[in-house]
């Protein structure tokens, strides 16, 4: 079950990141974050009311609040980096955040077997190589790398926090709702401050009409991100966090493949080799 839900997480996060990166190339990143999270919060609010999730309110929700504070910072940094592109280079560096939940798992006493340790190493190396990392180049490229590393640490922290935010399925719905509401509060405040300082909330070309036309895509990004957080929490609660975190962090491979299929970004030899290593690491983790 852990492997299945963790791999579902990587698929959902990969597609959400791809969608967010594409949207940010035309719409301000803060607007993408806030609008997508608003849509997700509305859907989750309905789910919480329908399932009676409010009865699960308790001290664990502070983990969800903390995740909601860190999440917008990570998403904003990552979407800006993806907009600078290319996605196939930026996205794999975001997976380095896996060190946070893996470290937490080791600190609480998890000791994966030899094959799983090998799988962790192979998968992480594969994910990084899948982007054909280019750390030298123009200042814009260096800025993209810095933003991605900030996002990576934030994503890893969110993974560690959300895994602790609930112990039941209905409680998980409530935790994800609280996380989204906090996301909106933090992201909305940042958007307000940005506009007051002269920044834009709407695209320069097309304005609000572009945002309205993008609502289906924004909804997909927000809901895919929510679903990914949910499947990861389930994976982490039903198996070793070290295994769940690494498998969930294969999402950059999905983003790179989506960029290849939709945007026509060509995969270099090192990227193809990295994808193969990621797959081998996945097998070792799932069977270890």
């Amino acid at each position: 079950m852990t492997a299945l839900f963790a791999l579902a997480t990587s698929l959902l996060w990969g597609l959400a990141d791809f969608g967010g990166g594409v949207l940010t190339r035309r719409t301000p990143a803060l607007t993408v974050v806030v609008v997508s999270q608003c849509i997700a919060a509305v859907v989750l609010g309905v789910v919480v009311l329908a399932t009676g999730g409010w009865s699960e309110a308790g001290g664990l929700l502070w983990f969800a609040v903390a995740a909601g504070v860190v999440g917008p910072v990570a998403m904003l940094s990552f979407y800006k980096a993806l907009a600078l592109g290319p996605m196939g280079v930026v996205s794999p560096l975001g997976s380095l955040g896996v060190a946070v939940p893996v470290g937490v798992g080791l600190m609480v006493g998890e000791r994966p077997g030899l094959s799983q340790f090998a799988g962790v190493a192979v998968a992480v190396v594969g994910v990084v190589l899948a982007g054909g990392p280019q750390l030298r180049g123009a200042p814009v490229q260096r800025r993209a790398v810095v933003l991605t590393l900030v996002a990576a640490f934030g994503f890893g922290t969110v993974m560690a926090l959300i895994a602790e935010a609930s112990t039941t399925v209905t409680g998980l719905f409530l935790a994800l709702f609280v996380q989204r509401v906090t996301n909106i509060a933090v992201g909305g405040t940042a958007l307000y401050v940005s506009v007051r300082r002269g920044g834009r909330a709407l695209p320069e070309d097309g304005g609000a009409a572009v945002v309205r036309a993008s609502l289906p895509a924004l909804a997909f990004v927000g809901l895919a991100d929510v679903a990914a957080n949910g499947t990861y929490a389930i994976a982490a609660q039903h198996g070793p966090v070290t295994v769940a975190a690494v498998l969930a962090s294969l999402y950059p491979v999905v983003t790179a493949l989506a960029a290849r299929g939709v945007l026509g970004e060509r995969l270099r030899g090192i990227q193809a080799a990295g994808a193969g290593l990621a797959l081998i690491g996945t097998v070792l983790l799932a069977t270890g």
Side-chain angles (χ1 to χ4, degrees):
M1 179 178 285
T2 296
L4 178 63
F5 279 99
L7 289 173
T9 300
S10 66
L11 176 63
L12 291 164
W13 263 334
L15 294 176
D17 286 345
F18 172 74
V22 171
L23 288 167
T24 305
R25 292 184 174 184
R26 190 174 182 185
T27 303
L30 274 171
T31 301
V32 171
V33 171
V34 173
V35 175
S36 63
Q37 296 304 299
C38 282
I39 296 172
V42 170
V43 174
L44 277 170
V46 173
V47 173
V48 169
L49 288 173
T51 60
W54 294 111
S55 62
E56 300 287 338
L60 293 178
L61 286 182
W62 286 111
F63 287 104
V65 173
V69 171
V70 176
V73 177
M75 284 189 288
L76 176 61
S77 299
F78 200 54
Y79 287 170
K80 282 188 173 181
L82 286 170
L84 294 174
M87 289 187 183
V89 174
V90 170
S91 184
L93 295 180
S95 67
L96 296 178
V98 69
V100 177
V102 167
V104 171
L106 294 175
M107 284 191 295
V108 299
E110 289 186 1
R111 293 296 179 266
L114 181 60
S115 64
Q116 289 179 323
F117 266 121
V120 169
V122 172
V124 171
V125 171
V127 168
V128 174
L129 292 181
Q134 301 169 351
L135 300 181
R136 294 181 296 177
V140 170
Q141 292 175 309
R142 289 196 291 270
R143 182 186 175 206
V145 171
V146 172
L147 285 169
T148 306
L149 293 177
V150 171
F153 179 78
F155 288 147
T157 302
V158 169
M159 290 171 72
L161 290 169
I162 202 64
E164 302 295 330
S166 68
T167 57
T168 65
V169 174
T170 53
L172 177 59
F173 288 139
L174 179 60
L176 292 174
F177 174 73
V178 170
Q179 180 190 10
R180 260 60 210 170
V181 170
T182 309
N183 282 349
I184 295 167
V186 174
T189 300
L191 180 60
Y192 174 77
V193 171
S194 174
V195 171
R196 288 294 299 269
R197 291 181 175 178
R200 295 186 63 87
L202 299 173
E204 292 185 15
D205 182 17
V210 172
V211 177
R212 285 195 298 269
S214 301
L215 283 177
L218 288 164
F220 173 79
V221 168
L223 294 174
D225 182 57
V226 166
N229 278 268
T231 53
Y232 174 73
I234 294 172
Q237 290 168 3
H238 289 82
V241 172
T242 47
V243 173
V246 174
L247 289 177
S249 294
L250 295 177
Y251 62 86
V253 176
V254 177
T255 303
L257 291 175
R260 172 69 177 88
V262 178
L263 302 181
E265 288 189 4
R266 297 183 61 182
L267 291 178
R268 298 161 52 201
I270 192 172
Q271 291 177 291
L277 285 175
L279 179 59
I280 294 172
T282 300
V283 174
L284 288 172
L285 282 167
T287 60

